[in-house]
């Protein structure tokens, strides 16, 4: 699995040389991209690069020159892939063509075999040696390193992707979860007598607060875009992500302590299409669930602990009664309850959904989840 180490570079007297290389790297990228962008507007992208090679190679070395050209290729490849996704309805907003790298925050790349660490020294090509600090959390095979300068803080950082060996777990139980908005995770772990709910209410409340602030500022400013607005959008997103990370970490700890080795999750695609849920919730859904942020975080965090995540189709799992295996007309009642007229019981609707995910996945007959009728525990 792939993980990233982030470290800080402290170049000291070497800063001028490092800055020079980063600036030349940006110039190389932007030169190549200029021709691609220009030719794009005339109808056919000119991907040739060979003539840039020689001029920049003397400063950057051939490995870095090659990595920057490759990175530009990747940006374009990703652009075409996203465009295709947008055309087929899989993406909300159309993406723009690859932009220029920022001269104020210059960056450079190092091929996996062209750098190495010796104690607190990072050895770069052409005998450039730079001190570094921080924590290399992950060990494994190093990939292409990205070095960048933050103009705001005047500091240097490096991202080092690592190919890490998967963790082994000793757990043997399976957990089943349903992703939602009001209840972020509704889960049931094998042998448990109750389902558990990890509430999303605080996240919703925070989102609502930030969204109100945004629309107030928007009407004050009388326009839809400005630096202040963008900052607020970023802040709203950061807060949301932080809250999700916390809840994912809590859920993962729960799984580890409950001896879980596998988590089965209903496919999240359904959430976006399940009709109107009010403006705040809809904006939340469209902004984040569509990009699978929660799902990605969950997968990474579980994987770090050696737990597998299995995605299964959740079609009809919220409408079907887990006791009878049929869709009762008006079965899904308001206020989060699912009522089964045949058994005369009401269950938490999300818990009913999890029970269906579990029964479907294991080909069990309806009614084989007693815990679905017990009140779920709430985890905050
Ligand atoms: Zn029923």
């Amino acid at each position: 699995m792939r993980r990233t180490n982030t470290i800080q570079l402290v170049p000291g007297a070497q800063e001028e040389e490092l800055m020079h290389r980063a600036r030349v790297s940006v110039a190389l990228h932007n030169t190549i991209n200029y021709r691609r962008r220009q030719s794009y507007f005339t109808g056919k992208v000119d991907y040739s690069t060979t003539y840039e090679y020689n001029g920049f190679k003397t400063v950057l070395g051939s490995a870095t020159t090659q990595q920057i050209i490759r990175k530009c290729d990747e940006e374009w490849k990703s652009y075409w892939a996203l465009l295709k996704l947008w055309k087929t309805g899989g993406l909300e907003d159309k993406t723009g063509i690859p932009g220029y790298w920022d001269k104020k925050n210059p960056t450079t790349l190092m091929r996996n075999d062209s750098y190495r660490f010796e104690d607190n020294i990072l050895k770069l090509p052409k005998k450039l040696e730079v001190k570094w600090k921080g924590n290399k959390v992950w060990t494994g095979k190093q990939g292409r390193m990205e070095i960048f300068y933050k103009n705001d803080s005047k500091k240097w950082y490096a991202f080092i992707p690592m190919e890490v060996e998967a963790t082994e777990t000793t757990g043997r139980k399976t957990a089943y979860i349903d992703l939602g908005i009001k209840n972020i995770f509704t889960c049931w772990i094998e042998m448990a007598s109750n389902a558990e709910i990890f509430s999303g209410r605080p996240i919703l409340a925070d989102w609502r607060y930030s969204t109100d602030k945004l629309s107030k500022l928007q009407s004050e400013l009388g326009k839809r875009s400005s630096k202040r607005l963008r900052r607020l959008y970023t802040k709203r997103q950061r807060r949301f992500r932080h809250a999700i990370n916390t809840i994912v970490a809590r859920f993962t700890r729960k799984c580890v302590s409950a001896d879980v080795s596998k988590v089965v999750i209903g496919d999240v695609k359904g959430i976006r299409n399940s009709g109107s849920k009010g403006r705040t919730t809809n904006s939340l859904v469209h902004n984040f669930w569509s990009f699978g942020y929660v799902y990605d975080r969950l997968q990474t965090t579980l994987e770090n602990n050696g737990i597998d995540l299995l995605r299964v189709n959740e079609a009809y799992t919220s409408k079907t009664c887990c006791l009878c295996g049929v869709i009762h007309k008006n079965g899904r009642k308001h206020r989060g309850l699912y009522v089964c007229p045949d058994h005369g019981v009401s269950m938490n609707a999300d818990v009913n959904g999890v029970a269906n995910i579990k029964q479907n996945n294991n080909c069990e007959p309806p009614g084989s989840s007693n815990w679905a009728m017990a009140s779920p525990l709430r985890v905050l």
Side-chain angles (χ1 to χ4, degrees):
M1 51 191 198
R2 257 167 95 84
R3 294 294 177 266
T4 303
N5 282 329
T6 306
I7 55 168
Q8 195 187 330
L9 302 185
V10 194
Q14 311 304 317
E15 178 154 32
E16 203 176 323
E17 174 60 22
L18 189 60
M19 183 61 91
H20 180 55
R21 290 192 198 182
R23 285 195 174 130
V24 172
S25 300
V26 172
L28 168 61
H29 174 271
N30 291 354
T31 306
I32 300 165
N33 205 30
Y34 175 77
R35 193 165 61 236
R36 291 184 182 180
R37 288 173 63 100
Q38 293 303 309
S39 56
Y40 172 87
F41 294 114
T42 63
K44 193 173 187 329
V45 182
D46 177 2
Y47 286 109
S48 62
T49 49
T50 39
Y51 86 84
E52 277 91 1
Y53 224 89
N54 297 321
F56 290 96
K57 208 160 62 172
T58 44
V59 178
L60 301 174
S62 54
T64 291
T65 305
Q66 175 209 49
Q67 291 305 308
I68 290 167
I69 294 170
R70 189 167 291 171
K71 177 89 180 184
C72 192
D73 292 345
E74 287 164 12
E75 289 165 1
W76 280 88
K77 235 182 238 159
S78 145
Y79 164 72
W80 293 116
L82 289 173
L83 187 72
K84 196 173 163 196
L85 199 60
W86 174 75
K87 278 182 179 163
T88 53
L91 193 66
E92 254 340 66
D93 300 307
K94 193 180 176 182
T95 37
I97 59 172
Y100 295 112
W101 284 2
D102 184 2
K103 286 184 217 159
K104 277 195 211 143
N105 297 293
T107 179
T108 188
L109 303 172
M110 296 292 151
R111 198 169 66 194
N112 66 321
D113 59 356
S114 67
Y115 66 94
R116 65 198 162 87
F117 292 92
E118 268 177 27
D119 300 323
N120 64 337
I121 299 291
L122 168 61
K123 297 199 162 190
L124 299 171
K126 297 182 170 214
K127 298 198 162 51
L128 179 59
E129 299 188 352
V130 174
K131 274 195 189 150
W132 68 277
K133 60 183 187 184
N135 211 342
K136 285 191 281 177
V137 180
W138 303 102
T139 52
K141 193 172 174 295
Q142 67 186 28
R144 178 179 70 196
M145 176 167 66
E146 194 182 326
I147 296 178
F148 57 97
Y149 179 70
K150 284 278 203 188
N151 191 47
D152 287 345
S153 56
K154 312 279 180 224
K155 282 179 182 157
W156 289 90
Y157 295 93
F159 286 151
I160 307 154
M162 306 293 296
E163 193 54 45
V164 177
E165 261 182 53
T167 320
E168 294 286 337
T169 173
T170 54
R172 45 184 77 217
K173 285 188 201 159
T174 302
Y176 300 86
I177 52 176
D178 189 34
L179 268 184
I181 307 287
K182 290 209 169 93
N183 299 326
I184 295 263
F185 300 136
T186 304
C187 93
W188 179 74
I189 297 172
E190 258 172 358
M191 320 286 282
S193 47
N194 301 72
E196 287 181 60
I197 288 176
F198 293 71
S199 175
R201 271 168 215 278
I203 297 178
L204 262 177
D206 192 72
W207 183 264
R208 192 170 292 134
Y209 170 78
S210 301
T211 306
D212 283 352
K213 231 166 124 177
L214 262 166
S215 51
K216 238 178 240 161
L217 182 63
Q218 219 167 51
S219 62
E220 261 172 46
L221 293 170
K223 51 183 177 181
R224 294 185 69 85
S225 163
S226 83
K227 214 173 180 177
R228 274 176 72 198
L229 276 170
R230 270 199 305 279
R231 261 207 304 269
L232 260 181
Y233 273 114
T234 313
K235 200 171 160 192
R236 178 175 73 169
Q237 174 164 331
R238 209 170 42 226
R239 288 169 73 110
F240 171 83
R241 295 193 161 183
H242 177 74
I244 291 294
N245 295 349
T246 307
I247 218 166
V248 166
R250 205 168 286 158
F251 173 72
T252 304
R253 272 202 301 275
K254 171 87 206 178
C255 287
V256 169
S257 68
D259 217 19
V260 168
S261 65
K262 185 168 92 177
V263 173
V264 176
I265 187 171
D267 200 314
V268 293
K269 262 187 246 150
I271 292 180
R272 275 195 57 198
N273 304 321
S274 49
S276 174
K277 292 185 163 81
R279 266 184 66 197
T280 312
T281 314
N282 275 338
S283 86
L284 190 63
V285 172
H286 283 283
N287 273 281
F288 294 104
W289 259 268
S290 55
F291 298 111
Y293 182 74
V294 181
Y295 182 82
D296 288 345
R297 283 308 306 170
L298 193 61
Q299 180 155 40
T300 307
T301 315
L302 288 172
E303 221 176 53
N304 287 345
N305 289 278
I307 300 170
D308 291 332
L309 184 65
L310 179 69
R311 199 168 175 165
V312 297
N313 187 3
E314 69 159 1
Y316 308 114
T317 50
S318 63
K319 288 182 188 152
T320 306
C321 172
C322 71
L323 302 176
C324 313
V326 298
I327 298 175
H328 297 304
K329 239 184 170 180
N330 305 323
R332 187 156 189 161
K333 286 275 171 69
H334 66 296
R335 296 182 58 161
L337 289 178
Y338 188 99
V339 179
C340 169
D342 293 1
H343 287 78
V345 292
S346 54
M347 300 168 277
N348 177 292
D350 290 331
V351 173
N352 174 60
V354 176
N356 281 318
I357 290 171
K358 173 219 161 209
Q359 287 169 184
N360 290 350
N361 190 60
N362 303 336
C363 302
E364 292 167 14
S368 38
S369 313
N370 284 333
W371 47 269
M373 286 180 285
S375 329
L377 307 170
R378 292 197 175 263
V379 184
L380 275 180

